[in-house]
Amino acid sequence: MGRPRRTSAGVVTGFVLRLIRESVPTTQAALAEALGVDVDTLQGWESGRRPLANMRAGALLDLRRRLPALGAEAALVQWLDAAMDADRIIASGLDDVGGPHPLAVWVHPRETAHMLAWALNGTVPPALAGRLPRPRRGPVAVAPQLASAERTAFFDHLRCTTERAAEQGGAGALLHRQALYLASYDRAPDAAAWTAHSLHRRRDVLARRGWSPHWPEARSTATALARLGDPQPLLDFIDRALADDDTAEAANLNYWALWLGALPVPQPDDAFMRDRELSAWDPVTLLRGLAHGLHVAPGYADLYVHSLWALLIAFPWLPQAGGQLTGPLRERAAQLLDGTTISARSRRELGYVQYVFDHNR
């Protein structure tokens, strides 16, 4: 089908900017005056008609610095980068954007994925759940969702991109992995069937043991299948391609570090995962991210448990730096151990996690 005419090239960033303004709180007119722009310009930013990403770098940097000074919530301002990344990825599927595909040139972190899920299927990022505006009368958006035709066109683009990338072999590995993972966000019945079929076609990468050049794809495939309701490939991946392999264990922690913000430096490809020194990121930040994730992602509980266990093995001093994480983590661990939702391996590893935190209170 043909691509729909774009009406809002910066819809995600614009909605985040609106949340930022309302956190001050102030009106569009008052904020526009404070920023030295006209109201039409600010309205264009918030609607997405004038994408913030099109601003000159210096002007955008100045805007980001002035918003907290005007009383905006700093944590919301930090989401602008992820929102602009999401808009760039969406634009690649809906507009004639030149150059390499954005999914082929950098490994996107969790915040970008959350922004995309918000726009594509309405899944609110957990970090923003308490900051959303209340529904109002009239045509006021309560989420940065794309129109139905735009969502359809974007997911069609993702599926085509996935198939083309698969034909490129190693040169298209990153693009294929990330496009297929994002395609699993499509909730349409026929799309879910396509995604499941495409993921199951990659069973060959899931069958490999330990580290290999296909390890990142295997991890992504297994987690996408878990999202679609098939957890067994992820359990098999932990047993076969992760546990007891030093390079694979390091790769898993490195990927988590990027995904959860402990590794703040953007990565152009998956090569960073092979670093066995584990010195490029902050272990405490990763511990915090994994501990919080264990509470909100029961479908991936086994992967979170194993990763927590591996992190504590690599950094045995971490329980002493856990601070306020200790209580909630021990409580969640006890709940999981009392239940039947995790594997026998996860029960052993979570028992160890609980033990070391109990003895470092």
Side-chain angles (χ1 to χ4, degrees):
M1 62 178 292
R3 294 180 178 180
R5 185 177 181 273
R6 289 286 280 139
T7 59
S8 51
V11 62
V12 184
T13 310
F15 193 85
V16 171
L17 180 61
R18 173 186 154 195
L19 294 182
I20 292 170
R21 173 177 59 79
E22 293 179 348
S23 76
V24 173
T26 189
T27 63
Q28 286 183 332
L31 182 60
E33 181 179 1
L35 294 174
V37 299
D38 57 58
V39 176
D40 287 343
T41 296
L42 182 59
Q43 289 175 343
W45 290 342
E46 291 192 8
S47 68
R49 295 191 310 273
R50 291 186 174 185
L52 281 181
N54 290 350
M55 293 177 66
R56 290 179 290 105
L60 181 59
L61 179 62
D62 182 63
L63 174 67
R64 289 170 53 99
R65 289 177 173 172
R66 293 186 65 187
L67 286 170
L70 293 171
E73 188 174 342
L76 287 175
V77 176
Q78 292 176 355
W79 279 89
L80 282 174
D81 283 346
M84 285 189 284
D85 283 342
D87 279 329
R88 183 184 174 201
I89 293 170
I90 291 170
S92 72
L94 299 179
D95 299 330
D96 293 323
V97 178
H101 197 289
L103 293 176
V105 294
W106 97 97
V107 185
H108 66 76
R110 178 182 61 174
E111 285 77 7
T112 301
H114 281 179
M115 289 285 105
L116 285 164
W118 199 11
L120 296 170
N121 60 33
T123 302
V124 179
L128 299 182
R131 297 182 169 95
L132 300 188
R134 295 180 179 179
R136 305 175 187 172
R137 294 181 179 179
V140 179
V142 295
Q145 282 191 269
L146 301 181
S148 177
E150 291 181 333
R151 289 199 303 273
T152 299
F154 179 75
F155 282 121
D156 284 347
H157 160 78
L158 274 184
R159 288 188 282 272
C160 291
T161 299
T162 299
E163 293 171 353
R164 288 197 300 266
E167 298 172 356
Q168 299 174 18
L174 178 62
L175 177 58
H176 179 271
R177 175 174 74 78
Q178 298 196 126
L180 180 55
Y181 186 86
L182 290 178
S184 69
Y185 286 5
D186 193 349
R187 295 175 173 176
D190 58 335
W194 179 92
T195 304
H197 176 71
S198 298
L199 290 168
H200 282 290
R201 284 169 54 189
R202 310 305 295 174
R203 289 281 186 174
D204 58 323
V205 301
L206 290 173
R208 299 172 187 264
R209 292 190 172 275
W211 170 262
S212 78
H214 298 281
W215 187 93
E217 181 184 2
R219 186 186 188 279
S220 184
T221 299
T223 54
L225 284 168
R227 180 193 292 113
L228 296 179
D230 183 5
Q232 192 58 47
L234 184 55
L235 296 174
D236 293 341
F237 173 82
I238 294 170
D239 286 337
R240 183 164 49 222
L242 178 53
D244 305 321
D245 184 291
D246 290 344
T247 303
E249 295 282 19
N252 183 54
L253 293 178
N254 287 331
Y255 183 78
W256 273 126
L258 179 75
W259 183 254
L260 297 176
L263 175 58
V265 180
Q267 299 298 318
D269 53 43
D270 291 332
F272 76 99
M273 297 186 197
R274 297 195 299 268
D275 179 14
R276 293 177 56 175
E277 296 298 320
L278 306 182
S279 59
W281 41 266
D282 176 33
V284 176
T285 301
L286 181 53
L287 174 65
R288 185 180 302 113
L290 290 172
H292 287 310
L294 190 63
H295 290 253
V296 300
Y300 304 93
D302 292 276
L303 182 58
Y304 274 89
V305 167
H306 181 80
S307 303
L308 275 168
W309 170 85
L311 183 64
L312 294 180
I313 295 295
F315 301 96
W317 51 266
L318 268 177
Q320 302 171 27
Q324 296 181 349
L325 289 175
T326 302
L329 182 56
R330 289 174 56 251
E331 180 180 348
R332 178 57 174 158
Q335 292 173 350
L336 287 171
L337 290 170
D338 286 342
T340 59
T341 59
I342 58 176
S343 68
R345 171 187 288 277
S346 294
R347 296 184 69 82
R348 294 193 300 271
E349 293 173 346
L350 190 56
Y352 172 81
V353 171
Q354 186 182 52
Y355 173 83
V356 296
F357 275 95
D358 280 343
H359 287 75
N360 283 277
R361 282 188 284 177

